[in-house]
Amino acid sequence: MNNTATALPPYLAMLGVDIRDFSGVPGRHQAEVTDAIPVVMRSAFERAGLEQNWLDKHFYSPSGDGCAIGLPTGILPFLVNPFLFALQDELDYRDQVRADPVPLRMRVSVHVGPVTNTGGTSDSEGSGAARIATHRLLDAQPVKDLLTRSGPTTRVAAIISARAFEDAVLTGYAGAEADRYVRVPVEVKTFRDAAYLRVPAPSGGLLSEGFQPRDDHAGTAADETLAPGMDAAAVTNHAREVHGQVEQSRDHNTTYTFNGENNNVNTGAGNQFNGETRYYDRRGQ
Amino acid sequence: MAVVSGRVKVLGTEPEGRTLLLALRGAGDLLGEMAARSVSSRTATVETIDRCVFGVIPVDRFNAFLDDSRAQQVFADYVIAKLSQTVDYKLELVHFPIGRKIARLLLELRSLADDTVADPARVPFSQQAVADALGLSRSTVALHIGALRDTGALRTEPRLEVADLAALRAAAGV
């Protein structure tokens, strides 16, 4: 290996997009869906009030059933909020006007990092480990599960890299509450990192069981550690009007089971709040 | 109540009493299902655009149907999705360029017209109604309608009618 240092390429905010079940789209409609992707993206940027950022993008790289987009880093918080919501709304509208042969559902990854950026149009634009991470995040099982476990009204499931989350969300720039995100471990090929899930319009199993399926619970609980700079108070989850079971696998390893109309807490560990009565879990102290 | 055929507009009222377009609905949509679920007050007014056929379903029978077909979750998802869409129509489109806003409204009206609608290509709104729905002035709407006529998306005067659906979609950014 050459021991001489080389200048780091500029940092870009990156968006990865993948259409769910593209291979399930009838063959004669696949080209139509592929052609629709940049149209959807442009309109979602417009809808979010980010038209100029779309025009200023550094690269747009189609992948047949998705795309990768490189943008100036300043946009990173806006990709989280409001872009993800605008994309969900745009896909709602496209369904309402029957724009696509099948209603489109997408996985989206958000990342930031150094990638080659010469301002040109060569195929190597936007190359680098950060670009690969953007693609790996899209293939992570936790984000795939979100679309499997939700109904057709959930059109967007997003996974935000730990780096993007720390820079854009924890800092407050995204104007989004950190506790709306669910931290998950990601393992795709040689890529291993933590990432954060966000669904603009949850439905189905995501409402009744949470963002992580119950089966995963035991496996991930041991893996949970707080991100640097993140305090325990920032990861409080709220569940309202819940029917069924809610589980939280974080620092408190808290489990609640709700039964019946009044959502009585029947079993639980960790600090519990039930109306005016509070039970603080001090067993470990 | 289920919309069997025809189009309706869902309207709200601004604090000053002005009428506000919230959403457009068509065949296959449910109306009043939120009222059936709770004792909450009236949330919106519905006006028909075309001659419509509605199916009225008693709450008990509807609930029994949902239970029998294990569709409570599907119904819950439908209601949640609809709630998130029930905001002022023009706010939904606030960031789009004006031409896009108009094209999007016309495209939605055209797409919701089912086989029973007598003249599906005809825009069932006056230019003033388009202007009101989108919070634009009538003269601005007239200017952009003129541009849509120039591209061939709309027929030439005097009728307000969709001529080329593909051109209208392109103008809408769809």
Side-chain angles (χ1 to χ4, degrees):
Chain A
M1 191 176 172
N2 192 335
N3 288 330
T4 316
T6 310
L8 197 61
Y11 278 56
L12 291 185
M14 274 170 294
L15 200 61
V17 176
D18 201 86
I19 304 261
R20 181 180 188 253
D21 197 22
F22 181 76
S23 54
V25 176
R28 66 198 171 96
H29 290 305
Q30 286 187 352
E32 200 181 313
V33 171
T34 300
D35 289 342
I37 297 169
V39 178
V40 174
M41 288 299 133
R42 188 202 165 110
S43 287
F45 272 85
E46 279 186 4
R47 186 183 274 275
L50 301 170
E51 186 185 10
Q52 193 55 50
N53 299 83
W54 168 259
L55 297 173
D56 292 344
K57 63 188 175 304
H58 288 283
F59 67 84
Y60 177 91
S61 172
S63 65
D65 60 352
C67 65
I69 307 172
L71 298 140
T73 46
I75 195 188
L76 187 65
F78 301 96
L79 291 183
V80 175
N81 177 29
F83 176 77
L84 295 176
F85 298 84
L87 183 58
Q88 162 77 27
D89 290 346
E90 181 62 18
L91 294 175
D92 266 340
Y93 178 79
R94 290 182 70 88
D95 189 18
Q96 173 87 334
V97 302
R98 294 160 186 83
D100 303 298
V102 292
L104 302 182
R105 304 178 76 209
M106 296 177 170
R107 297 194 306 278
V108 177
S109 62
V110 178
H111 189 40
V112 61
V115 287
T116 56
N117 178 36
T118 59
T121 53
S122 82
D123 286 352
S124 64
E125 276 299 288
S127 286
R131 170 72 177 277
I132 292 167
T134 307
H135 288 281
R136 295 287 183 263
L137 286 167
L138 273 184
D139 288 330
Q141 202 55 45
V143 70
K144 287 184 166 177
D145 287 343
L146 291 175
L147 289 181
T148 311
R149 297 174 49 246
S150 57
T153 56
T154 297
R155 303 183 198 275
V156 174
I159 183 163
I160 293 145
S161 73
R163 190 192 284 169
F165 185 82
E166 286 156 24
D167 290 356
V169 180
L170 281 183
T171 53
Y173 283 105
E177 293 159 38
D179 63 7
R180 297 289 179 90
Y181 298 79
V182 173
R183 188 172 197 267
V184 290
V186 172
E187 261 192 81
V188 182
K189 295 185 182 172
T190 56
F191 178 82
R192 283 178 70 111
D193 201 355
Y196 293 80
L197 303 176
R198 183 73 207 253
V199 179
S203 66
L206 304 186
L207 292 176
S208 53
E209 293 168 17
F211 282 13
Q212 286 180 278
R214 257 188 285 172
D215 295 346
D216 282 10
H217 177 68
T220 58
D223 220 15
E224 291 292 322
T225 50
L226 289 176
M230 189 173 183
D231 61 30
V235 290
T236 308
N237 268 340
H238 301 281
R240 295 188 187 87
E241 300 184 352
V242 173
H243 301 277
Q245 187 158 318
V246 174
E247 299 190 15
Q248 180 187 27
S249 64
R250 289 251 176 78
D251 51 323
H252 285 128
N253 205 6
T254 312
T255 302
Y256 301 111
T257 305
F258 294 91
N259 284 321
E261 296 273 289
N262 299 322
N263 286 348
N264 296 321
V265 177
N266 290 348
T267 66
N271 295 340
Q272 298 188 12
F273 304 88
N274 187 5
E276 290 300 299
T277 316
R278 298 180 172 204
Y279 304 94
Y280 292 98
D281 182 12
R282 303 193 194 281
R283 290 172 299 179
Q285 292 167 23
Chain B
M1 197 153 76
V3 185
V4 177
S5 65
R7 293 168 290 184
V8 303
K9 39 187 180 178
V10 182
L11 305 170
T13 314
E14 277 183 305
E16 320 88 81
R18 283 203 351 199
T19 303
L20 206 64
L21 178 66
L22 299 180
L24 301 165
R25 304 282 177 224
D29 271 310
L30 296 175
L31 300 170
E33 79 286 349
M34 291 178 209
R37 276 278 140 153
S38 61
V39 290
S40 68
S41 59
R42 173 191 185 85
T43 50
T45 303
V46 173
E47 261 179 36
T48 61
I49 294 172
D50 311 292
R51 190 185 167 83
C52 290
V53 176
F54 299 104
V56 179
I57 311 158
V59 178
D60 294 349
R61 276 185 55 191
F62 186 59
N63 276 327
F65 163 75
L66 290 177
D67 286 338
D68 291 347
S69 43
R70 298 177 183 279
Q72 288 285 5
Q73 185 64 58
V74 175
F75 176 68
D77 290 348
Y78 173 80
V79 172
I80 290 169
K82 246 173 106 171
L83 272 175
S84 71
Q85 290 161 16
T86 310
V87 294
D88 188 350
Y89 195 89
K90 61 178 179 282
L91 280 183
E92 272 285 301
L93 303 178
V94 67
H95 293 300
F96 282 111
I98 292 167
R100 280 246 204 289
K101 292 184 192 188
I102 296 169
R104 280 181 172 245
L105 174 60
L106 302 189
L107 177 63
E108 192 171 349
L109 284 164
R110 176 67 187 86
S111 304
L112 287 176
D114 57 67
D115 296 342
T116 68
V117 172
D119 196 354
R122 189 183 67 85
V123 177
F125 279 23
S126 67
Q127 293 199 21
Q128 185 62 56
V130 171
D132 291 343
L134 298 173
L136 302 170
S137 74
R138 197 188 165 284
S139 56
T140 304
V141 169
L143 193 72
H144 288 272
I145 295 266
L148 287 170
R149 284 189 163 124
D150 291 344
T151 63
L154 299 180
R155 213 170 288 290
T156 49
E157 290 190 85
R159 299 224 294 166
L160 196 50
E161 196 175 297
V162 177
D164 182 345
L165 195 55
L168 184 60
R169 280 178 165 201
V174 169

